[in-house]
Amino acid sequence: MAQAVEEWYKQMPIITRSYLTAAVVTTVGCSLEIISPYHLYLNPKLVVQHYEIWRLITNFLYFRKMDLDFLFHMFFLARYCKLLEENSFRGRTADFLFMLLFGATVLTAIVLLGGIIPYLSETFAKILFLSNSLTFMMVYVWSKHNPYIHMSFLGLFTFTAAYLPWVLLGFSILVGSSTWVDLLGMIAGHAYYFLEDVYPRMTGRRPLKTPGFIKALFPEDNVVVAPAAHESAIINQRSNRGDFGASPTLGNLL
C-alpha cells in the first residue's frame, strides 16, 4: 500500500506534486499548531505596511482544518491539477505555472478591490484564504478544455464536464457553504480561458504570454507540441479515445 502511494506521488508532474505537497504540509502544520494560520492569511495592511509579502503566497496553501472538506479539496487538487498539467499543458510546464500565477493574481486583485467597494467590503473582508478558489479555478479550466466528458453526481443524474463547475456550485448551496469561494474561482478561470483560448481565436492576438524568466525555469519545455489552434480538436480526440480515464463519478467523493 505504502509503495503504491509512493509510486503514485512520484508519477505526479512537477507543479502538481509541488503544490499538493506544500498544501498538505502547510495544512498539517497548522493542525499540529506548528504553524499559525494568523501568519498565513491574506491581509493587505500587513503586506503593504509591514512588508509581509509571503501572505500573497501562503493564503493559497492553507485549506483550513483537516476534515472531509479538506480531503475533498485535496482530491480535486490532485486530480484536476494533474489532468491539466499532463494533458492540456503537456510539454508546457512553464505555461501551466503561469496559469496558476495568473489565477492567483486575479483572485487577489478581486478580493482587494472588493474590500473597498461599499456593501461588498464586509463580505470580501471575510475571505482570508484563496486556496479553495484557486482549486476551483483549475476545475473550471479543465471543464472548458474537456466539455464532452460524461460525469455523474451521486448516481442521480449525469452531465457533461462543461457543467461541472455549476454542479459543484449548486452542491455548495445545498450544503449551506459559502458560494463566494466557488464564484471567485469561476471568475478567475473564465478570465484565463477567455484570454488564452477565446480571444486569440477571435482576434489572432494572444494577450497572455508566459514571461521568459518562467520559461527559463523549465528548459525541457522546448519540445514540439500541437499548435493552440488545434488544441480543442486534439482534446476531443483524446476524450473519445479515453485518454483522460473513465468518466468520473462525484458520488465517490462525497
Side-chain angles (χ1 to χ4, degrees):
M1 179 65 180
Q3 185 176 1
V5 173
E6 181 181 0
E7 189 66 23
W8 168 79
Y9 178 77
K10 289 181 178 180
Q11 289 179 353
M12 282 187 175
I14 181 64
I15 301 299
T16 301
R17 185 168 66 246
S18 299
Y19 188 21
L20 181 65
T21 301
V24 171
V25 169
T26 302
T27 305
V28 171
C30 289
S31 297
L32 297 177
E33 298 185 355
I34 299 174
I35 309 171
S36 172
Y38 293 104
H39 295 153
L40 307 178
Y41 75 95
L42 180 61
N43 187 315
K45 183 177 180 180
L46 293 178
V47 171
V48 175
Q49 297 183 3
H50 296 272
Y51 308 106
E52 297 184 3
I53 307 299
W54 67 82
R55 293 179 182 274
L56 297 175
I57 300 174
T58 55
N59 81 92
F60 290 100
L61 302 179
Y62 181 50
F63 284 80
R64 306 300 178 96
K65 59 183 179 181
M66 296 185 63
D67 53 11
L68 184 61
D69 185 67
F70 169 76
L71 295 177
F72 182 79
H73 281 93
M74 287 301 97
F75 176 88
F76 271 74
L77 173 60
R79 178 178 176 80
Y80 293 103
C81 189
K82 181 174 182 287
L83 285 175
L84 279 174
E85 190 172 357
E86 287 185 339
N87 293 287
S88 298
F89 291 88
R90 179 181 295 274
R92 298 190 297 131
T93 307
D95 293 340
F96 182 63
L97 176 58
F98 178 65
M99 183 202 77
L100 295 181
L101 294 176
F102 173 85
T105 301
V106 170
L107 290 170
T108 302
I110 292 175
V111 172
L112 295 182
L113 292 175
I116 61 176
I117 298 177
Y119 306 108
L120 291 178
S121 58
E122 184 176 349
T123 298
F124 281 97
K126 297 177 182 177
I127 301 177
L128 305 178
F129 297 96
L130 291 167
S131 48
N132 291 347
S133 295
L134 187 61
T135 302
F136 206 90
M137 173 201 168
M138 287 186 277
V139 173
Y140 185 91
V141 173
W142 178 84
S143 72
K144 287 295 185 181
H145 286 180
N146 305 274
Y148 304 112
I149 291 182
H150 291 281
M151 310 186 80
S152 173
F153 182 77
L154 297 175
L156 299 177
F157 62 92
T158 58
F159 57 95
T160 56
Y163 298 100
L164 176 59
W166 300 101
V167 171
L168 294 178
L169 179 63
F171 180 75
S172 295
I173 295 174
L174 286 177
V175 297
S177 300
S178 173
T179 57
W180 277 104
V181 169
D182 297 348
L183 288 173
L184 290 179
M186 293 174 70
I187 292 172
H190 191 74
Y192 178 83
Y193 173 71
F194 178 81
L195 293 175
E196 177 67 16
D197 295 297
V198 179
Y199 186 78
R201 290 198 296 266
M202 294 170 54
T203 64
R205 297 189 296 270
R206 305 187 68 86
L208 295 183
K209 295 182 180 179
T210 304
F213 74 91
I214 296 181
K215 287 183 174 293
L217 298 174
F218 306 97
E220 68 277 7
D221 280 1
N222 296 323
V223 297
V224 178
V225 296
H230 302 294
E231 186 175 14
S232 296
I234 292 172
I235 291 173
N236 289 339
Q237 292 173 4
R238 288 175 178 170
S239 175
N240 292 334
R241 296 199 309 263
D243 289 3
F244 297 106
S247 299
T249 303
L250 291 181
N252 296 332
L253 310 181
L254 306 177

